[in-house]
Amino acid sequence: MSKKEHANIGTRSVWSGEKEYLVHGATQVPVVHSVSFGYDDIDEWYEVAVGNKQGHIYGRNTNPTVQAFEDKVKDLEGAIAATSFSTGMAAISNALSTILVPGDRIVSIKDTYGGTNKIFSEFLPKLNIDVALCETGNHEEIEEEVKKGCKILYIETPTNPTVKITDIKRMVKVAKNNRALIYVDNTFATPILQNPLELGADLVIHSATKFLGGHADALGGVVCSNDKELVEKIYHYREINGASLDPMAAYLLLRGMKTLHLRIKQQCVNALTIARYLQDHDKIEDVFYPGLETHTNHHIAKDQMKDFGGMLSFALKGGLQSVREFLPKLKYANKAANLGAVETTVGPARTTSHVENTPEERATLGIPEGLVRYSAGIENVEDLLEDLEQALSYITHTD
Ligand SMILES: *Cc1c(COP(=O)(O)O)cnc(C)c1O
């Protein structure tokens, strides 16, 4: 076997980013619940405060537990720098607000996460920032819009909830050629399955609340990049605006990440098995999963992802009424506005990812009212299939 510089990603999920934060011989990173960090030596204090010396000053800026979490994500994404936030939305809005000024232009896709879509449709226009939202998966349209000039090209792939795929390498190319930054929301794929920085992206964003944490018990967000200056700018914006990650949440996310590679492996198997099963079911109108050969951009997903992820969605025949009949009957699924957890989690798009949108907006976004988002957990897939079968049998009308 050849000697490699880095261990494999499963080993790194367990070990990376922790060692330098251990104290008293403990094998686990401590949760440092301290708002401030004290210094008797005012010269040392000054050196830390101005960033000439490693250390911590005040919890809104940095904290050791939070830094351990950032270090682990940084390592898994193969990045040079990372900074964290109280939530995924805080990561997204801080990363945008740091860079954009009135008069700027941003290009993105219609199918971003509902909250992100609200930033684009409601908040940025108020600041006189022009937003062009393209048809997701229409690469030509995105290229045309970027060529007109923009500061940031913002993509998310796979998307929430219809798991559409955008070609990252192709988008990197058009962004670079037009001197735009390219941001990629990598929440659905996780660093286990997709590394946008390797493909040339400038910034990777995660809602750590989802797969990274994986246990639906902590909110958090993180951005990472190979451009240290960019991350420092975003960090500076965040330290002043105050959307800092809490140390307890950082600890929970850090612990969750140790099993990330195992969870993702099982979730990919479960999602593909379920997608195949639903594809042939007579109560199902449509199934969306990048791992299906019938998926529009299956070949792109195959090229840029190591596997197809734990997220799928499907439209029930009979629309919303069928969702009402089917959803409560599922035994092994939380009906909740979350995803990426060890438990299977389901919800209609109209109450989860796109609750902020009107029915008309959802229709424009191509989200049927009968759409169910399914985040496959790590359960035994046989049980999930049986559960789906019995729950689907409660659907009375399929027209
Ligand atoms: C959930 C989610 C977000 C927002 O993250 P929060 O932690 O809920 O703020 C952003 N992007 C995607 C793809 C998400 O699924």
Side-chain angles (χ1 to χ4, degrees):
M1 267 176 65
S2 66
K3 255 190 161 170
K4 279 189 303 178
E5 200 183 327
H6 297 293
N8 291 300
I9 201 155
T11 308
R12 279 151 52 211
S13 303
V14 176
W15 288 100
S16 68
E18 303 205 5
K19 220 160 201 162
E20 66 177 284
Y21 301 97
L22 302 178
V23 287
H24 307 303
T27 58
Q28 303 303 316
V29 171
V31 187
V32 181
H33 283 300
S34 184
V35 165
S36 55
F37 300 81
Y39 297 88
D40 286 332
D41 182 334
I42 63 155
D43 295 320
E44 185 193 2
W45 185 354
Y46 177 79
E47 289 302 308
V48 174
V50 297
N52 291 340
K53 190 173 187 289
Q54 286 235 333
H56 305 279
I57 297 287
Y58 188 64
R60 171 153 47 72
N61 315 122
T62 64
N63 168 282
T65 316
V66 169
Q67 237 169 30
F69 162 73
E70 290 167 349
D71 283 358
K72 200 186 271 294
V73 179
K74 185 171 78 180
D75 182 86
L76 295 186
E77 285 288 8
I80 286 171
T83 192
S84 61
F85 303 85
S86 52
T87 65
M89 280 316 302
I92 292 165
S93 50
N94 279 258
L96 293 171
S97 301
T98 301
I99 300 297
L100 296 171
V101 294
D104 276 344
R105 186 158 184 274
I106 177 168
V107 175
S108 189
I109 50 176
K110 285 184 182 165
D111 290 72
T112 50
Y113 176 72
T116 311
N117 184 265
K118 273 289 154 192
I119 292 188
F120 292 151
S121 58
E122 186 178 336
F123 295 107
L124 292 185
K126 274 204 290 209
L127 300 173
N128 190 27
I129 291 162
D130 183 31
V131 184
L133 297 185
C134 305
E135 213 56 59
T136 313
N138 185 342
H139 295 90
E140 290 79 15
E141 187 189 352
I142 303 172
E143 284 164 343
E144 284 312 305
E145 289 299 332
V146 173
K147 281 176 194 162
K148 288 180 195 163
C150 71
K151 206 159 203 185
I152 299 173
L153 167 57
Y154 184 104
I155 60 170
E156 183 183 319
T157 180
T159 56
N160 186 355
T162 44
V163 285
K164 290 183 187 159
I165 302 290
T166 300
D167 188 333
I168 298 173
K169 260 194 272 183
R170 187 168 165 180
M171 294 297 102
V172 163
K173 201 169 159 200
V174 71
K176 302 272 153 176
N177 284 344
N178 292 278
R179 286 197 293 279
L181 288 169
I182 171 162
Y183 287 8
V184 181
D185 183 333
N186 204 28
T187 300
F188 270 34
T190 81
I192 304 292
L193 302 179
Q194 180 171 279
N195 299 108
L197 295 179
E198 258 175 38
L199 302 174
D202 292 299
L203 194 79
V204 165
I205 305 174
H206 282 281
S207 166
T209 313
K210 313 292 171 53
F211 288 98
L212 295 187
H215 293 72
D217 55 4
L219 292 157
V222 62
V223 303
C224 41
S225 175
N226 288 328
D227 181 346
K228 199 159 174 260
E229 238 174 79
L230 176 61
V231 172
E232 275 168 4
K233 271 191 224 160
I234 298 170
Y235 160 74
H236 179 58
Y237 190 91
R238 189 269 286 155
E239 71 168 332
I240 302 303
N241 284 278
S244 312
L245 181 62
D246 181 77
M248 190 62 216
Y251 175 78
L252 291 169
L253 298 172
L254 194 60
R255 183 170 71 167
M257 283 176 67
K258 292 185 192 221
T259 56
L260 181 63
H261 64 301
L262 290 179
R263 288 187 278 110
I264 294 292
K265 209 180 210 174
Q266 182 71 27
Q267 285 167 319
C268 287
V269 169
N270 287 1
L272 180 63
T273 312
I274 288 163
R276 290 228 167 99
Y277 156 80
L278 291 173
Q279 218 178 5
D280 297 327
H281 203 285
D282 61 4
K283 301 275 172 70
I284 302 291
E285 182 86 46
D286 223 337
V287 183
F288 305 99
Y289 185 63
L292 294 176
E293 291 76 10
T294 49
H295 186 284
T296 317
N297 284 325
H298 171 66
H299 61 288
I300 299 172
K302 214 170 156 176
D303 196 45
Q304 69 189 15
M305 299 175 76
K306 294 186 182 74
D307 204 333
F308 303 101
M311 295 301 304
L312 63 136
S313 60
F314 48 92
L316 297 172
K317 284 184 186 167
L320 194 55
Q321 182 53 30
S322 295
V323 178
R324 285 202 181 91
E325 291 167 341
F326 160 76
L327 222 54
K329 299 295 181 188
L330 283 173
K331 283 185 294 190
Y332 301 123
N334 284 324
K335 295 93 190 170
N338 191 24
L339 60 95
V342 287
E343 300 94 0
T344 292
T345 309
V346 297
R350 71 192 291 273
T351 56
T352 57
S353 60
H354 287 72
V355 66
E356 311 281 350
N357 301 102
T358 62
E360 294 73 30
E361 283 174 331
R362 282 193 293 272
T364 323
L365 295 169
I367 294 165
E369 295 295 280
L371 192 80
V372 175
R373 182 178 73 187
Y374 192 98
S375 169
I378 62 165
E379 301 91 340
N380 289 101
V381 72
E382 299 80 7
D383 296 321
L384 296 180
L385 290 175
E386 235 175 75
D387 196 24
L388 281 164
E389 182 67 30
Q390 63 82 22
L392 284 168
S393 74
Y394 287 92
I395 293 174
T396 51
H397 290 84
T398 54
D399 44 47

